[in-house]
Amino acid sequence: MNLADALEHHARARPDQDALVQGERSISHRELRCLVRRAASHLRSLRLDAGEVVGVALRDHLEHLVLLYALARARLVMLPIDWRWTPGERERAARHFGARLTLVEPGAEIPGIGCIAVDSAWHRAVQQASEDGEFESRGDDPLLLCLSSGTTGRPKGPMLTHGQFLRRFWTHWIDLGLGSRDRYLSATPVYFGGGRSFCMSVLFAGGTVIQFPPPWEPQALVAEVERRRATSLFLVPTLLRRLLALPDSRLAGLASLRLLLSSGSALGAGERREIRARLCANFCEYYASTEGGGISLNTPQDQERHPESVGRAIFGVEVEIAGEDHRALPHGQVGRLRYRGPGCASAFYRDAQASAEAFHAGWFYPGDLACRDEDGFILLRGRAGDMIIRGGINIYPAEIEAVLMAHPDVTDAAVLGVPSTEFGEQVAALVCA
């Protein structure tokens, strides 16, 4: 199915429920269906053919999310481009991925690239477009180009279909419990993978997305959660640490949260314990990648029993640890983590060299070193390129960083290898106290 098909159902089943909220503005599910159809009709009127790439370089406002679903409805491929990038960085991404057109903020056109500003003229054209057009629904249509790098080096990212993205949604519902009753507070940029996919997932399920774009002060976020009675929230570790810096008396507004999610980098065992005690008891860590979506889930129960783990594989995902010969390694042995599943990409778009390095025989290798115990819990040991070989011994920076972070006076730590005449490499640590 086309992901936008779900909006048709919600317009009938829950027409007056809020779909999108930001500030004093709200859009019901009935209105969202209408806006998406009109915007899709207008996009088609620009002589864009199904499968063509359209860049999206927009701020975190409601129109951004409307347009993501409009592009899906029109069977066009969305290319997220961070509006914060320099003009040269935005131009490089749009050109590399062959964007036929890029939607931009007024006055933020990209030199040398065909752009249309989402301004008052755009909104007038959308209002005049038809919402009664016929739209074909196909699950194997390309939907999204997820950039995993490219601001300084060669742009890189996979092409995902409607069907693959839908299977990523499945894990949000099955493993995380997100659904039609959720009031999800979107407090991270829509450009980024987690921020975008959770917003789209909640809308697909018929829930409510409340836009609260960064930058924000921690106390303002707490107030917004309380004001909107938000039930779910996704934050990266850096933002969680800012909340933890507040006294308990200023965190009471988070009481409505049923689910607090984190991804992007691992937290220490002490930090997880404090988050569960002070922010939200149902705090989950979601280990994921741009190319393959979710990999594993670290539940509150597992965090306590397996403090060094990032959890076990989520629904529909198969995880293995492999050696350099691509053969699976036994439990407890460190190697290259790989995984596969119906939501995982199979290659990088327009990049055969990078594809050969990261994809092999149906598996995706995100570049992490890890091991698994007999119960299937995954323990990360660093990045493949970060491993230190000291006197012939493999040393994994993540293990040393975990020890350093356990010290009460250490707020952050990074371990790296430095050249050594005697040992080849020596271990160095950078510590913030």
Side-chain angles (χ1 to χ4, degrees):
M1 65 182 298
N2 184 298
L3 291 187
D5 289 345
L7 306 187
E8 305 290 324
H9 169 78
H10 300 314
R12 297 187 300 270
R14 46 182 62 84
D16 300 319
Q17 177 184 318
D18 286 340
L20 293 169
V21 177
Q22 185 171 12
E24 301 307 314
R25 185 184 175 199
S26 64
I27 297 173
S28 69
H29 278 284
R30 180 195 289 116
E31 293 167 331
L32 178 61
R33 180 257 188 198
C34 174
L35 285 171
V36 165
R37 279 183 156 262
R38 289 181 185 275
S41 293
H42 180 53
L43 286 164
R44 282 187 171 183
S45 74
L46 302 176
R47 299 184 180 180
L48 294 166
D49 296 327
E52 288 195 294
V53 177
V54 176
V56 182
L58 299 175
R59 293 173 179 264
D60 300 316
H61 44 58
L62 299 189
E63 280 73 23
H64 190 154
L65 290 171
V66 170
L67 282 168
L68 292 185
Y69 265 102
L71 290 165
R73 177 79 283 167
R75 298 175 62 201
L76 296 167
V77 181
M78 56 188 83
L79 172 66
I81 297 174
D82 195 344
W83 64 271
R84 302 165 187 81
W85 289 350
T86 66
E89 290 167 345
R90 286 181 278 139
E91 184 270 340
R92 187 184 306 117
R95 193 173 299 282
H96 176 80
F97 290 105
R100 172 85 157 70
L101 177 73
T102 298
L103 302 172
V104 299
E105 296 292 332
E109 287 75 9
I110 306 170
I113 299 294
C115 295
I116 290 185
V118 179
D119 54 12
S120 57
W122 168 271
H123 293 305
R124 284 195 300 271
V126 168
Q127 286 299 321
Q128 294 167 6
S130 172
E131 64 179 271
D132 299 321
E134 291 297 321
F135 297 98
E136 187 176 355
S137 298
R138 292 179 53 178
D140 59 349
D141 276 338
L143 169 75
L144 172 72
L145 276 163
C146 289
L147 273 68
S148 57
S149 65
T151 59
T152 55
R154 183 174 76 245
K156 186 173 66 174
M159 177 88 80
L160 298 170
T161 67
H162 286 250
Q164 287 172 320
F165 222 61
L166 176 59
R167 288 305 297 264
R168 295 187 180 196
F169 290 174
W170 281 30
T171 67
H172 298 171
W173 309 327
I174 293 171
D175 287 293
L176 303 175
L178 289 172
S180 61
R181 295 178 178 85
D182 264 284
R183 294 177 60 80
Y184 172 74
L185 188 71
S186 174
T188 56
V190 176
Y191 158 75
F192 291 110
R196 178 179 58 249
S197 62
F198 287 126
C199 284
M200 294 186 70
S201 174
V202 170
L203 289 175
F204 185 96
T208 300
V209 173
I210 303 150
Q211 280 277 53
F212 190 66
W216 38 257
E217 291 298 323
Q219 192 61 60
L221 177 70
V222 174
E224 186 73 356
V225 169
E226 183 174 29
R227 175 190 178 199
R228 304 295 188 179
R229 296 173 289 106
T231 61
S232 47
L233 173 67
F234 164 70
L235 296 174
V236 297
T238 300
L239 301 178
L240 287 169
R241 291 179 183 121
R242 292 177 185 171
L243 285 177
L244 291 175
L246 295 177
D248 288 344
S249 60
R250 300 175 68 183
L251 295 173
L254 300 177
S256 63
L257 287 180
R258 178 192 58 80
L259 173 67
L260 178 59
L261 282 166
S262 177
S263 190
S265 62
L267 288 152
E271 290 177 311
R272 297 188 194 116
R273 194 173 298 114
E274 188 178 3
I275 290 168
R276 295 197 307 273
R278 301 182 60 218
L279 305 184
C280 179
N282 188 29
F283 167 66
C284 296
E285 281 186 295
Y286 197 55
Y287 171 44
S289 75
T290 301
E291 297 84 355
I295 303 171
S296 67
L297 183 68
N298 200 6
T299 67
Q301 298 76 20
D302 292 338
Q303 290 167 25
E304 203 59 37
R305 295 194 300 260
H306 302 269
E308 295 183 2
S309 171
V310 292
R312 288 188 280 200
I314 59 171
F315 177 80
V317 171
E318 185 179 358
V319 176
E320 285 187 351
I321 309 300
E324 292 300 321
D325 59 359
H326 297 291
R327 293 186 180 182
L329 296 174
H331 296 306
Q333 199 163 330
V334 176
R336 299 167 65 197
L337 183 142
R338 67 182 182 186
Y339 72 109
R340 61 186 176 188
C344 188
S346 57
F348 288 117
Y349 186 66
R350 292 186 172 182
D351 199 328
Q353 179 183 343
S355 296
E357 295 170 357
F359 296 90
H360 180 78
W363 295 92
F364 171 61
Y365 292 71
D368 290 324
L369 294 172
C371 64
R372 282 196 308 164
D373 64 20
E374 293 183 355
D375 295 321
F377 286 94
I378 302 166
L379 293 88
L380 296 181
R381 292 294 182 248
R383 299 287 293 173
D386 294 341
M387 186 176 70
I388 302 166
I389 304 177
R390 180 185 184 276
I393 303 298
N394 294 344
I395 298 173
Y396 305 103
E399 294 181 340
I400 302 174
E401 289 167 355
V403 174
L404 293 172
M405 290 294 292
H407 194 284
D409 293 334
V410 174
T411 59
D412 206 354
V415 171
L416 66 156
V418 296
S420 168
T421 303
E422 182 179 2
F423 296 105
E425 280 188 294
Q426 188 58 277
V427 178
L430 306 176
V431 176
C432 293

